[in-house]
Amino acid sequence: MNRRDFLKNTVKGVAGLGISAAAIEFLNPKDILANINKDTAKVRWAFLVNTYKCVGCGFCVKACKQENEIPYDANVTRTWVERYVITKDGKRYADTPKGARDGFITTKIEMGKDKFQEVKDEDIQKAFFVPKLCNQCENPPCVQVCPVGATYQAPDGVVLVDRTWCIGCGYCIMGCPYGVRFFHPKYHTAEKCNFCYHRITKGLKTACVQACPFGARQIGNIKDPNDPITKIILTERVGILKEEFGTKPQVFYIGLDREVK
Ligand code: SF4
Ligand code: SF4
């Protein structure tokens, strides 16, 4: 299922459900702490998305494309932003036009090629933006299914792809439950976010973190108790996507609505 199908199904699947305003997903801090302390590694990169701060401007998506050699006009992105609109009668709409590369420049919601849905302001119960990227899963199914070891996990937890080993079989693209992988239009190898590994290992922030004017994205070392990220993750209500898959994402969300898939 591609990203567009996923969004269409999300819309279909939740239409008609009543959405509680308090339906926010969060983890037990004791479980997070136990997981942090279960090994002696000094670095484990973790990412924090604050959905309350994201305004859907798309600066992060643009910056990522430019930083990571993803063709600007191709409809593929390593990171993207989804818009969710929930109406008072319980319908839910979600879209991500061009991955939100240009932000959300119209109030019309994209429902497929050349299909749009208008929702009147007075019918909206709530609307919000959710940035997405590779979750750098602690238990990554994409690594397990790669037949040639081209996808692997670094000791600091980041899942990497070696373009020179990738044979383009696509197993990892099918194996990722989050739909974050795609074929690179030029190299025809598996592609995804790697937390800007070339930057973070030199002490820089990821391109998207640097580009976000509102601080909706942060990255840090969850093994360091003094890292601002660690403090936030252990003291605020944070959630992860698709916890039920047991993949243990290292991308944490503040304000994650339960219905976000
Ligand atoms: S989000 Fe997908 S691509 Fe990223 S580590 Fe998890 S399974 Fe692999
Ligand atoms: S740059 Fe920040 S505010 Fe703008 S869309 Fe990205 S995460 Fe949201």
Side-chain angles (χ1 to χ4, degrees):
M1 183 165 53
N2 64 27
R3 220 172 272 163
R4 183 181 299 278
D5 290 340
F6 151 73
L7 287 168
K8 271 163 47 187
N9 289 344
T10 300
V11 172
K12 279 187 213 148
V14 298
L17 288 181
I19 308 293
S20 155
I24 300 296
E25 191 80 67
F26 61 93
L27 299 169
N28 185 333
K30 274 192 201 152
D31 293 341
I32 304 174
L33 195 59
N35 201 44
I36 292 173
N37 293 330
K38 78 174 180 202
D39 61 42
T40 55
K42 293 264 184 299
V43 179
R44 176 169 274 277
W45 295 103
F47 203 94
L48 184 67
V49 175
N50 188 333
T51 64
Y52 297 132
K53 291 185 175 176
C54 179
V55 302
C57 64
F59 288 4
C60 50
V61 179
K62 267 196 197 82
C64 174
K65 283 203 151 197
Q66 286 162 345
E67 178 74 24
N68 292 299
E69 209 199 341
I70 305 301
Y72 198 68
D73 290 320
N75 200 17
V76 286
T77 50
R78 284 181 167 204
T79 186
W80 69 99
V81 180
E82 294 170 359
R83 167 173 60 180
Y84 287 79
V85 175
I86 294 134
T87 59
K88 288 175 184 159
D89 63 354
K91 290 198 181 72
R92 165 165 297 208
Y93 302 97
D95 71 346
T96 177
K98 292 185 184 165
R101 184 198 74 183
D102 304 325
F104 292 85
I105 46 184
T106 163
T107 54
K108 288 180 186 162
I109 299 157
E110 197 178 72
M111 302 289 289
K113 194 170 174 356
D114 299 327
K115 281 195 209 148
F116 298 91
Q117 175 76 37
E118 282 270 26
V119 181
K120 291 189 192 137
D121 285 355
E122 58 267 32
D123 293 337
I124 296 174
Q125 184 192 51
K126 60 179 172 176
F128 52 91
F129 299 101
V130 182
K132 298 261 184 94
L133 63 163
C134 170
N135 289 286
Q136 314 301 347
C137 304
E138 195 181 317
N139 300 326
C142 57
V143 171
Q144 290 159 24
V145 298
C146 178
V148 294
T151 278
Y152 61 100
Q153 195 169 33
D156 54 20
V158 178
V159 174
L160 300 167
V161 181
D162 184 338
R163 265 186 202 155
T164 61
W165 278 96
C166 176
I167 56 170
C169 67
Y171 287 177
C172 60
I173 295 174
M174 290 184 279
C176 169
Y178 300 97
V180 308
R181 286 178 172 252
F182 56 92
F183 281 118
H184 192 288
K186 182 171 165 196
Y187 300 112
H188 309 293
T189 50
E191 185 70 33
K192 71 166 191 75
C193 160
N194 61 5
F195 278 2
C196 283
Y197 205 62
H198 57 292
R199 293 175 61 96
I200 59 172
T201 49
K202 293 191 184 77
L204 300 170
K205 301 289 182 200
T206 67
C208 61
V209 168
Q210 182 141 319
C212 177
F214 302 100
R217 296 171 176 249
Q218 287 176 269
I219 188 162
N221 175 14
I222 202 170
K223 287 281 189 175
D224 176 357
N226 296 315
D227 193 306
I229 278 269
T230 313
K231 289 182 180 168
I232 295 171
I233 289 172
L234 288 176
T235 56
E236 296 202 24
R237 290 183 163 187
V238 293
I240 50 174
L241 291 166
K242 299 188 182 181
E243 189 181 357
E244 67 277 14
F245 281 76
T247 50
K248 297 202 173 164
Q250 300 302 299
V251 175
F252 298 85
Y253 285 85
I254 291 177
L256 185 63
D257 192 288
R258 275 185 206 283
E259 299 301 332
V260 173
K261 302 294 177 211

